[in-house]
């Protein structure tokens, strides 16, 4: 992997401090610099409670659809799959992106990239969709129900959903703004029931925008996730159902979803004990039926390499 593509939490303390100083975040730079100077064995981990953007792990929860204003969040590895989704067309939406802490001061600009596969008959299309969002620490972005993939066809092996975020520290970046203000990036990626030759150039453009953004010195990847949603109830991967998935950027501590619930009115994950928001960065991704043309029947079964939940 190119060094530019490492998330911030994978960088050395010196690299993290240098980046924070480059984007004008002197307060965090000084705090982390002091912590890094402590004796070995007392590393940066003590301050991660304030700098959640340095976490490298993830957990995935599931919110069933049609619930009440306060709904339970289940472990996505422990739910039953909906096997009737095989061969169906689905819509995938970004229902919430909550920013607890990102590097920099004031309002953060964050580039989000989402990737997957459209499994049409006996072929597969690679998909990517990119958007820019803004939020201050402790606030959600102004994105609710944003379409990502519309009409995504699900194969027998389920869905592999990937994504990453990039902190955009440049005050002005004409390359990013010009590309993301184009019509192609203003709505979700609408898919057909047959292969689309125009899709490859679009995916290539989205990939190029993200790579070019990462190459700029004041921009840095912060979070990456790779989630396999399948139909096998016997393995440890997450299962595919209609509803919403909560993808949380976290550390390696044990996680208990029973301590949290989902507040539908604010689209936030809150603690049951005191009703306060989950103090971590997280996405809420919606999965539902697509009210469009049915998928073409598969002529043969295509399999993809099963992806477990990884950081």
């Amino acid at each position: 992997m190119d060094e530019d593509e490492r998330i911030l939490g994978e960088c050395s303390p010196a690299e993290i401090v240098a980046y924070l100083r480059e984007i004008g975040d002197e307060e965090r730079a000084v705090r982390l610099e002091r912590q890094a100077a402590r004796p070995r064995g007392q590393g940066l981990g003590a301050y991660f409670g304030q700098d959640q953007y340095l976490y490298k792990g993830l957990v995935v929860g599931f919110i069933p659809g049609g619930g009440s204003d306060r709904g339970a969040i289940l472990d996505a590895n422990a739910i039953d799959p909906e096997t009737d989704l095989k061969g169906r067309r689905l819509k995938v939406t970004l229902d919430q992106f909550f920013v607890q802490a990102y590097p920099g001061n004031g309002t953060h600009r964050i580039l989000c990239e989402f990737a997957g596969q459209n499994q049409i008959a006996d072929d597969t299309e690679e998909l990517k969709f990119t958007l820019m969002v803004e939020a201050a620490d402790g606030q959600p972005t102004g994105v609710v129900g944003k379409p990502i993939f519309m009409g995504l066809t699900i194969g027998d092996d389920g869905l592999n959903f990937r994504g990453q975020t990039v902190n955009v520290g440049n005050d002005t970046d004409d390359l990013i703004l010009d590309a993301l203000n184009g019509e192609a990036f203003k709505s979700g990626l609408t898919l057909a029931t047959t292969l689309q030759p125009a899709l490859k150039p679009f995916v290539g453009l989205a990939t190029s925008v993200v790579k070019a953004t990462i190459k700029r010195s004041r921009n840095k990847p912060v979070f990456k996730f790779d989630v396999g949603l399948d139909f096998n109830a016997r393995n440890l991967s997450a299962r595919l159902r209609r509803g919403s998935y909560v993808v949380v950027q976290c550390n390696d501590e044990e996680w208990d979803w029973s301590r949290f619930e989902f507040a539908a009115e604010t689209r936030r994950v809150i603690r049951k004990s005191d009703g306060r928001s989950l103090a971590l960065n997280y996405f809420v991704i919606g999965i539902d039926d697509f009210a469009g043309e049915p998928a073409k029947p598969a002529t043969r079964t295509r399999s993809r390499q099963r992806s477990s939940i990884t950081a």
Side-chain angles (χ1 to χ4, degrees):
M1 179 176 61
D2 194 311
E3 285 196 359
D4 292 333
E5 297 179 357
R6 291 177 300 161
I7 62 173
L8 197 57
E10 295 173 337
C11 297
S12 69
E15 290 173 318
I16 297 171
V17 169
Y19 175 71
L20 292 172
R21 286 213 163 97
E22 186 174 17
I23 62 175
D25 196 343
E26 183 66 19
E27 180 182 347
R28 285 189 174 110
V30 170
R31 184 172 67 245
L32 293 176
E33 192 171 46
R34 288 173 178 171
Q35 180 65 10
R38 292 184 177 184
R40 182 169 296 181
Q42 302 180 33
L44 295 178
Y47 282 109
F48 277 12
Q50 301 177 62
D51 301 310
Q52 293 89 342
Y53 56 87
L54 293 176
Y55 288 148
K56 297 181 287 185
L58 67 88
V59 291
V60 182
F62 177 76
I63 308 164
S68 61
D69 289 342
R70 296 290 176 90
I73 305 177
L74 310 175
D75 186 343
N77 295 62
I79 59 177
D80 293 326
E82 290 183 330
T83 57
D84 70 304
L85 292 178
K86 294 180 181 181
R88 283 186 178 269
R89 301 184 75 200
L90 302 180
K91 63 178 180 181
V92 181
T93 56
L94 176 58
D95 293 343
Q96 178 70 283
F97 177 17
F98 186 82
V99 177
Q100 176 62 31
Y102 256 64
N105 301 305
T107 299
H108 309 291
R109 291 198 305 162
I110 305 168
L111 183 65
C112 302
E113 179 190 57
F114 301 102
Q117 290 183 332
N118 192 35
Q119 301 187 51
I120 302 174
D122 60 349
D123 215 329
T124 299
E125 290 179 316
E126 294 294 330
L127 308 175
K128 282 193 178 179
F129 184 72
T130 308
L131 72 156
M132 183 83 80
V133 297
E134 295 185 349
D137 284 347
Q139 298 293 326
T141 62
V143 176
V144 177
K146 175 73 174 180
I148 300 175
F149 302 134
M150 303 296 287
L152 174 70
T153 302
I154 301 299
D156 289 345
D157 291 325
L159 169 65
N160 181 219
F161 189 66
R162 309 181 304 280
Q164 70 169 322
T165 64
V166 180
N167 189 62
V168 179
N170 285 322
D171 294 332
T172 58
D173 197 322
D174 293 337
L175 173 65
I176 301 172
L177 296 178
D178 289 347
L180 297 184
N181 284 332
E183 289 298 322
F185 286 96
K186 288 185 178 179
S187 59
L189 194 59
T190 301
L191 307 169
T193 57
T194 57
L195 292 178
Q196 298 168 269
L199 193 58
K200 285 186 177 181
F202 177 86
V203 170
L205 174 60
T207 301
S208 298
V209 167
V210 174
K211 287 188 175 182
T213 302
I214 292 173
K215 290 291 184 183
R216 308 293 179 93
S217 62
R218 290 168 58 87
N219 306 330
K220 189 68 180 175
V222 171
F223 181 48
K224 294 184 181 183
F225 66 87
D226 188 342
V227 179
L229 303 173
D230 61 32
F231 304 105
N232 190 345
R234 296 185 301 275
N235 60 39
L236 298 179
S237 65
R239 317 297 163 52
L240 181 60
R241 293 184 63 89
R242 297 170 181 86
S244 298
Y245 290 84
V246 184
V247 182
V248 182
Q249 180 181 3
C250 65
N251 56 17
D252 296 328
E253 294 179 358
E254 292 185 5
W255 191 270
D256 182 3
W257 278 113
S258 67
R259 296 189 293 112
F260 303 94
E261 59 186 357
F262 185 69
E265 67 274 15
T266 59
R267 289 181 170 82
R268 293 194 185 187
V269 177
I270 60 176
R271 300 188 309 198
K272 287 183 178 180
S273 60
D274 56 14
R276 298 182 64 180
S277 293
L278 172 63
L280 292 169
N281 303 314
Y282 62 86
F283 291 102
V284 179
I285 305 295
I287 303 287
D288 204 351
D289 291 306
F290 175 68
E293 184 182 356
K296 300 290 185 182
T299 57
R300 62 182 174 85
T301 300
R302 284 189 65 89
S303 63
R304 62 169 175 77
Q305 183 176 357
R306 185 181 66 79
S307 291
S308 58
I309 300 175
T310 59

